[in-house]
Amino acid sequence: MSISAASQLPPAYPERAAWGTAQKLRAWQAEALERYLAERPRDFLAVATPGAGKTTFALRVATELLDRGEVNRITIVAPTEHLKVQWAEAAAKVGIRIDPRFVNAAGRQGVDFDGVAITYAGVASKPLLHRARTEAARTLVILDEVHHGGDARSWGEAIREAFEPATRRLALTGTPFRSDTAAIPFVRYEMDQEGILRSRSDYAYGYAEALRDGVVRPVLFLSYGGTMRWRTRVGDEIEARLGEPVTQDVTKQAWRTALDPTGDWVPSVLAAADKRLSEVRRGVEDAGGLVIATDQSSARAYARTLAAITGVQPTVVLSDDAGASGRIEEFANGTSRWMVAVRMVSEGVDVPRLCVGVYATSTSTPLFFAQAIGRFVRARRRGETASIFLPNVPIVLAHAGSMEVERDHALTKKAAVDGEDQLWSEEDGLLAAANAQERASDELGGSFEALQSDAEFDHVLFDAEQFGLGGLPGSQDEEEFLGLPGLLEPDQVATVLRDRQKKQVSRGGGRQRAEAVSAHRALADHRKELNKLVSAYAQKKGQPHAVVHAELRRSCGGPDLTTASADQVQARIDRIRNWFVGRH
């Protein structure tokens, strides 16, 4: 089949086959397979966005090599025990017999199997055993989510030791980057124009391409802020609004306070997410939701809150629980509403009916975020959308806004300058600082006590564009965005969001504080509201924040925002609202 012929194949099949078992290849899979068979490389790195069908591609390669007699043994290396079983079941459906229960103590695979599925940790514990197995037969090694090969220096060395003799090595990943500079085994690195060593894939299929082809779902990110109050270990009480310009340390603790199960932020966001799930289920009857928690105690507490909201006990998945895989499979095949997990469902696990997610974790690496969001983008039919509820934290929103950016793993990095007490400010364009490694100060990095939290709807982020001006829980402003139809094409999503925002602006909607506040706090809130509007307008028009602020000063008069009076700030708010609805 030629590449031009492959490009004419349907990019997605109408009804989704079992994981890894599609009989009809998608266009990218056919093209990647043709390239692989034409070049016949010993090492091949396929990068495809989560949900695109890496497993189907890999099993097709394995079938071709077995049929041609080029290999007679398959070894699959996966990150988790659950994925071992998932691989074995998918392989069985295409006629490849894989033993997922192989253990190092056995020494050799059973005669009834074509190969085994093992974990990276299992390889690292006995690399010489796996080297001997690899040398004993012509072996294809499939390295699933190969970036895990760099999780520890010893792991990387063990994987190289074990599989250096392999006849073929096929590496797969949906996230070809790491948060560190540990080299990924059997991945080629080349120097770029900036003198940085970066990974190079042999075939890449990104989220933007998959979204265009209807292979993955469009993702709506619903951001929630609110006021947080906590006590430090030295006894000081601190209050801050989640997402407002403060130091990294304060934002980090405000984030921790928001995620505390005893506060009001989590119940409010879970209630909003459940409303969204009910709306989605009008068009997708079996749609499910997933809450990703930081730790097991939080997961259990969130589950209790969901049970109180819905009247039904959600599925709880904990990584050290022997029955976790069974519960994931039962949830995937059922129609129940919610599952709560720590890390068990963060990567590779296939639950296609997941449509609504709550990112209730303090993990902020781009790798974890990408893998977590990947659980929700697997498309079954056109029109399905994914809705992810996020804390209004700059680093998380930055990850959400860059979903379509293709990344490579860098072995060397540019030197960064650490700023003391660096502020995050929308007006000054300091969002990049949010992507820097977070380091808590000695005072705030230790123990603390969450005292109080509340939640407020802030905005919707879609296709790197911001919609909505906020709203209190249960307000019309929030309800309109929660009530978006669950079946929409990507271009329809943007159209509906613009319509909802226009209605909100025209009626003067937005976040309104319910309590009486002092004059200085009211002025501060006005300035924050203006910053929010400027941010939304700047994203909409593709202009720097400073340019928008300068134009507002010219048109409304008055000094810089930091010294403007309440009336001057209000004038600028009214002006930019008029801009939104086109009344210049």
Side-chain angles (χ1 to χ4, degrees), residues 27-105:
W28 82 263
Q29 294 163 337
E31 188 176 35
L33 178 64
E34 182 183 29
R35 183 175 301 177
Y36 183 90
L37 296 177
E39 299 176 359
R40 303 166 67 87
R42 188 180 184 195
D43 287 296
F44 191 91
L45 172 61
V47 175
T49 191
K54 294 184 293 295
T55 305
T56 294
F57 165 69
L59 290 175
R60 183 62 178 271
V61 169
T63 301
E64 292 282 347
L65 295 181
L66 287 169
D67 289 347
R68 297 176 185 210
E70 297 183 26
V71 302
N72 53 20
R73 176 176 292 176
I74 308 294
T75 296
I76 299 170
V77 189
T80 66
E81 292 291 329
H82 179 81
L83 284 176
K84 286 169 46 179
V85 176
Q86 198 163 281
W87 268 100
E89 292 177 349
K93 291 182 174 67
V94 295
I96 300 176
R97 299 165 300 177
I98 297 295
D99 181 7
R101 292 180 172 80
F102 172 87
V103 293
N104 290 338

Side-chain angles (χ1 to χ4, degrees), residues 221 223 364-366 369 390-405 407 424 430-436 459 461 464 539:
F221 293 101
S223 172
S364 60
T365 65
F369 184 86
L390 303 174
N392 187 18
V393 175
I395 191 170
V396 176
L397 296 179
H399 295 335
S402 61
M403 272 194 66
E404 298 186 13
V405 177
R407 298 179 175 89
W424 287 337
L430 295 179
L431 185 60
N435 276 316
H459 67 273
L461 186 66
Q539 287 190 355

